[in-house]
Amino acid sequence: MNHERKGFTVTGLSPVPILTDRFRAALRNALGWEYAGTDPVLRRSRHADLQSNVALALARKLDRSPRSVARQIVKQLRVADLVSRVRISKRGYINLTLSEKWIAAQLQRFLDDERLAVPAAFSPQRVAVTLSAPSVGTVMNAGHLRPAIVGHALARILAFLGHEVIWENHIGDRGAPLGALIEHLLDFEEGIDAGLDVFTVDPDAFRRAAEAKFESDAEFAGRARRRLDALRAGDEETRRYRRLLVDASTAFHRPLYDRLGVPLTGDPRGEGFYDEYLPEVVDELVARGLAVDAGGALCVLLPGLTGEDGEPRAVIIRESDGGYGHTTIDLAAMLHRLDALRVQRVVHVAGGEEREHLETLFAVARRSGMAPGEVALDHAEIGPVIDPRTGHETVSGSVNSGRASDLMDRARRRAASVLRRKGRGKWLKGESRAAVRDALAIGAVKFTELLVRRDVGHPFDLDRMVGYSGRTAGFVQYTAVQLKSIFRRAKLAPESASGPIVIGTREERALALHLLGFGFTLEQAAAAAEPHRLARYLHDLAALCAAFYRACPVREAADEETRESRLALCAVTLRTLVTGLDLLGVPVPDRM
């Protein structure tokens, strides 16, 4: 694929995709068409701006020395328009030094493009990003925070790249506990509205009360079971009660989602939304000969997947009593996305405990033809929250079972303490100081959750999260605030900085090179459903900016040309930091 188009690349202004295409052309011309698709494996190096080890990878296959292969490739490599030096190391690495003139010219395009020279996707897709909201009768805890934060960041990155994103929150509103919740609601002497008021104040307490009655009162337990049977049978009155509880649950959780800046969609779908699709799913599987009878239940066998006994994995799609399992409900949801919403990619943001379930779900969807091969099915796996005191995955009674609202309150108090102790923001008063405190607290939680690879566990440690140094949101936010202050002191709007940009010092060059990778980073993050790529990019950008700020005077530059160039470089860096943090849902105040 040719990445170059009208001077831009599909991934912004990064030299990597451009040089990848040039290397592949050189490989084709030097070694033949069978090598045209070889990855040149371009990466940063201590010895050059970019380094390729493709000659080492091919040397054994060609039975030649790496240097000999490298020389043959370089002879066909046409990169004079962007590379000032090509050097082959003794071991056969191909080292590339980019032209300072080319680097400056690309950065100049950042100044002239409100999207930082990141074009929209060639072939935009409809993408469903789906995650589970807390079930009816539960409250949001630390384990719910990370999927919401990761999923929201991914959705924003995809949308920025031009994809149409359908954001889905799924509320658990099926299963045995629901019958007890409905009957407990109906038991309120003051009426259903009074029961809903109690539920909305504390759904968790409401659920515990219903469970206690179910365990201690046989008559109540019988009613709860019959209510669940009525729900399975499609009883309209029971469905209405379920909807009331879903709406009340949404009302309870919405303030926290709003506080996080994560949307809880206007009509969050409970699993019950897909009831009408369930018979259709089963009929489709039966018609295709995939569903088999197993003692009254209907199962689908998956020869490509094996269970712990080594036998083909079997999944129940309809119980012998007529009930539907987790897989069938998710198949119905998928059928709705593919048929009604016409999505081309589905990303499930879910924990590792859902790995086998989603693997089974995807396998059934593929075998049945429900999800054709051109539809991408992704599991964006979320790692566990770790208890910082023990180093183990959190268990009942530790941080994972703590309410997310309480954790956010603790983050806010920690941020207020940091502001007092560091003496920062002492000139801020009232609402302005509260806004900075909240930006620091919310940014700390979200950025920490996004900085680590999403499938890796990490500690929820507020002492480490909230601050102005290290791998924290505060460090990145404060870097952007420092850049804002440069323009404020210069009495100049950042958008008015026009350069021209000239690359002079080592720090300017390092900062400029990193800036060119913004679009490439976004595309990689979107393709792999890995927002941590953007978070790490922004942290590294802030570190390079800090080094530049220390070494390169801006307003006090030696001459006007250097001053104008550095102001323009600051403007590009500021816009990149603010845009990137916004995509991650991290706020940037004007002062900190």
Side-chain angles (χ1 to χ4, degrees):
M1 174 183 175
N2 187 352
H3 290 276
E4 298 179 63
R5 180 188 63 165
K6 297 181 182 178
F8 292 91
T9 73
V10 296
T11 49
L13 302 178
S14 170
V16 173
I18 298 174
L19 288 170
T20 294
D21 282 345
R22 304 287 183 88
F23 261 92
R24 285 174 172 162
L27 287 162
R28 180 190 67 225
N29 294 332
L31 304 174
W33 276 97
E34 64 268 34
Y35 296 99
T38 304
D39 185 354
V41 195
L42 288 163
R43 54 172 61 102
R44 297 297 299 273
S45 166
R46 291 178 300 168
H47 308 291
D49 294 329
L50 291 168
Q51 183 183 81
S52 169
N53 69 356
V54 68
L56 282 74
L58 293 176
R60 181 174 296 180
K61 184 174 182 179
L62 296 170
D63 194 24
R64 292 164 52 189
S65 72
R67 278 180 61 83
S68 170
V69 176
R71 283 194 294 268
Q72 190 174 357
I73 295 169
V74 168
K75 189 175 180 179
Q76 298 292 332
L77 191 59
R78 305 290 181 261
V79 292
D81 56 328
L82 69 157
V83 173
S84 60
R85 184 185 181 194
V86 180
R87 185 176 58 85
I88 300 172
S89 74
K90 291 181 179 180
R91 296 184 59 190
Y93 291 105
I94 301 173
N95 293 305
L96 307 169
T97 301
L98 294 169
S99 160
E100 290 182 354
K101 183 179 179 180
W102 183 85
I103 296 171
Q106 309 318 302
L107 282 185
Q108 202 69 41
R109 294 182 182 180
F110 272 68
L111 288 172
D112 301 333
D113 191 313
E114 63 181 15
R115 288 179 52 83
L116 294 164
V118 180
F122 281 170
S123 302
Q125 295 180 312
R126 287 174 67 90
V127 184
V129 178
T130 178
L131 67 153
S132 295
S135 297
V136 172
T138 62
V139 297
M140 196 173 181
N141 58 39
H144 293 106
L145 278 175
R146 197 174 185 196
I149 291 168
V150 170
H152 184 229
L154 175 61
R156 290 179 66 80
I157 292 169
L158 287 164
F160 183 80
L161 291 175
H163 301 286
E164 183 181 354
V165 180
I166 298 169
W167 172 257
E168 296 187 312
N169 298 91
H170 280 248
I171 297 173
D173 63 350
R174 296 180 65 90
L178 195 62
L181 291 174
I182 292 174
E183 288 303 318
H184 184 49
L185 176 67
L186 296 175
D187 279 352
F188 275 79
E189 292 183 0
E190 300 88 347
I192 291 177
D193 288 344
L196 289 173
D197 289 342
V198 172
F199 179 94
T200 306
V201 170
D202 190 343
D204 192 49
F206 189 97
R207 175 185 53 81
R208 290 197 304 270
E211 289 174 347
K213 287 169 68 174
F214 187 89
E215 294 296 329
S216 62
D217 186 336
E219 188 272 334
F220 178 87
R223 282 194 285 127
R225 294 189 183 97
R226 290 191 295 274
R227 182 63 66 178
L228 188 59
D229 291 338
L231 185 63
R232 288 174 173 173
D235 179 67
E236 285 300 324
E237 183 181 44
T238 303
R239 284 186 173 185
R240 183 173 69 85
Y241 295 145
R242 176 175 64 184
R243 185 68 220 180
L244 290 172
L245 288 171
V246 169
D247 289 345
S249 185
T250 302
F252 175 82
H253 289 114
R254 192 179 297 282
L256 180 58
Y257 277 88
D258 290 344
R259 183 173 170 185
L260 284 169
V262 175
L264 187 60
T265 48
D267 183 23
R269 292 195 181 100
E271 292 173 338
F273 174 84
Y274 304 103
D275 282 352
E276 64 185 88
Y277 290 89
L278 294 172
E280 183 179 347
V281 167
V282 174
D283 291 345
E284 180 72 16
L285 295 174
V286 170
R288 289 181 176 270
L290 297 177
V292 297
D293 184 87
L298 283 177
C299 295
V300 172
L301 299 179
L302 299 169
L305 301 174
T306 57
E308 294 180 359
D309 57 1
E311 295 296 318
R313 191 182 299 174
V315 55
I316 298 176
I317 60 167
R318 190 176 66 201
E319 304 280 358
S320 57
D321 62 359
Y324 299 98
H326 191 17
T327 300
T328 316
I329 296 167
D330 278 354
L331 281 170
M334 185 173 293
L335 181 65
H336 175 262
R337 294 183 197 113
L338 299 182
D339 280 6
L341 302 180
R342 301 292 180 185
V343 303
Q344 296 152 293
R345 182 184 180 191
V346 179
V347 183
H348 285 264
V349 184
E353 70 278 0
E354 291 287 305
R355 187 184 305 127
E356 183 174 315
H357 163 68
L358 289 174
E359 185 181 51
T360 300
L361 173 70
F362 295 167
V364 176
R366 294 293 192 205
R367 284 199 72 199
S368 66
M370 190 181 301
E374 61 269 20
V375 174
L377 303 177
D378 298 330
H379 174 199
E381 184 173 329
I382 303 298
V385 177
I386 306 297
D387 189 328
R389 299 167 299 177
T390 65
H392 299 120
E393 291 187 26
T394 52
V395 294
S396 179
S398 63
V399 67
N400 197 39
S401 59
R403 294 192 175 196
S405 57
D406 294 339
L407 296 174
M408 294 305 299
D409 287 343
R410 285 172 47 205
R412 178 184 284 173
R413 291 194 295 270
R414 172 67 180 167
S417 174
V418 167
L419 285 172
R420 286 194 301 270
R421 189 174 69 252
K422 297 292 184 181
R424 297 189 185 273
K426 53 182 177 291
W427 57 87
L428 296 169
K429 303 296 181 183
E431 291 184 5
S432 296
R433 187 176 182 83
V436 171
R437 175 203 64 198
D438 289 349
L440 186 60
I442 292 168
V445 172
K446 297 178 84 170
F447 196 76
T448 303
E449 298 287 7
L450 291 163
L451 193 59
V452 296
R453 225 178 63 194
R454 57 169 165 70
D455 59 338
V456 174
H458 76 99
F460 195 97
D461 186 349
L462 288 172
D463 289 340
R464 182 177 59 85
M465 289 178 175
V466 185
Y468 280 78
S469 61
R471 293 169 63 81
T472 64
F475 171 65
V476 184
Q477 290 168 308
Y478 187 62
T479 301
V481 168
Q482 282 183 305
L483 292 173
K484 289 184 178 184
S485 72
I486 289 175
F487 289 98
R488 193 162 48 244
R489 292 196 300 270
K491 298 181 180 180
L492 182 70
E495 55 270 20
S496 66
S498 58
I501 294 175
V502 179
I503 306 301
T505 68
R506 178 181 60 189
E507 290 79 12
E508 287 171 314
R509 182 183 180 85
L511 178 59
L513 279 173
H514 194 71
L515 284 165
L516 295 185
F518 181 61
F520 192 39
T521 300
L522 291 180
E523 187 181 78
Q524 289 181 313
E530 293 179 341
H532 77 270
R533 294 174 184 261
L534 176 57
R536 291 181 181 181
Y537 169 89
L538 294 173
H539 179 270
D540 292 345
L541 178 60
L544 290 167
C545 181
F548 159 77
Y549 186 78
R550 290 191 298 267
C552 303
V554 179
R555 289 194 306 133
E556 299 81 12
D559 53 71
E560 187 65 19
E561 181 185 17
T562 303
R563 178 179 183 272
E564 293 301 315
S565 172
R566 289 177 179 172
L567 281 170
L569 188 55
C570 286
V572 171
T573 305
L574 173 59
R575 191 139 54 94
T576 305
L577 284 171
V578 171
T579 301
L581 287 172
D582 180 65
L583 292 177
L584 297 181
V586 174
V588 179
D590 289 329
R591 300 172 185 267
M592 288 184 75

